[in-house]
Amino acid sequence: QVQLVESGGGLVQAGGSLRLSCAASGRTFTLSAMGWFRQPPGKEREFVARIRRTSGDTYYADSVKGRFTISRDNAKNTVSLEMNNLKPDDTAVYYCAATTLAVGGGTRAERYDYWGQGTQVTVST
């Protein structure tokens, strides 16, 4: 089993920045990739970004490309999401996710085995 704990959410004005962190514990050596999803109010959960643990290869949703950066520290078993130039549409509960799949995750939530509890990000106008 793997446990994920997010931190770093909060309230920020449009154009501002926030950094989310996710700490993994347990059988972290089984993980092939970690990612971030978000669920805006009244909407479905959506993919934000993912990073493969070994290669560091990253992939982003078009809506955040160029504004968000995902990174990892395998020694500390953490993954971070640096969010810049935030917009009101970025308001959501953000979830950290991790997968043991050999192909290393993707954009679909069902491909991830473990989830954090979520952290709220609110962007005001």
Side-chain angles (χ1 to χ4, degrees):
Q1 292 293 325
V2 173
Q3 295 76 41
L4 303 175
V5 178
E6 304 103 334
S7 60
L11 172 65
V12 64
Q13 287 189 327
S17 299
L18 277 177
R19 183 180 179 89
L20 305 182
S21 294
C22 175
S25 60
R27 295 172 59 88
T28 57
F29 63 90
T30 64
L31 301 177
S32 58
M34 296 182 71
W36 290 93
F37 286 73
R38 66 186 183 186
Q39 187 163 13
K43 296 184 179 180
E44 298 291 318
R45 190 171 299 191
E46 62 186 29
F47 170 78
V48 176
R50 72 101 174 103
I51 186 166
R52 291 190 170 136
R53 282 177 56 86
T54 301
S55 68
D57 176 67
T58 60
Y59 187 77
Y60 297 90
D62 287 344
S63 59
V64 306
K65 201 173 295 182
R67 300 187 298 122
F68 290 12
T69 302
I70 189 171
S71 60
R72 84 220 191 282
D73 184 334
N74 289 343
K76 297 181 179 179
N77 289 314
T78 59
V79 64
S80 298
L81 186 69
E82 183 74 31
M83 306 184 293
N84 297 315
N85 190 20
L86 283 160
K87 305 175 181 180
D89 284 349
D90 295 318
T91 295
V93 177
Y94 283 71
Y95 296 90
C96 177
T99 181
T100 59
L101 289 178
V103 294
T107 63
R108 291 158 51 194
E110 57 265 32
R111 296 180 65 85
Y112 291 80
D113 306 291
Y114 304 104
W115 294 84
Q117 80 286 355
T119 185
Q120 177 71 45
V121 172
T122 303
V123 184
S124 64
T125 55

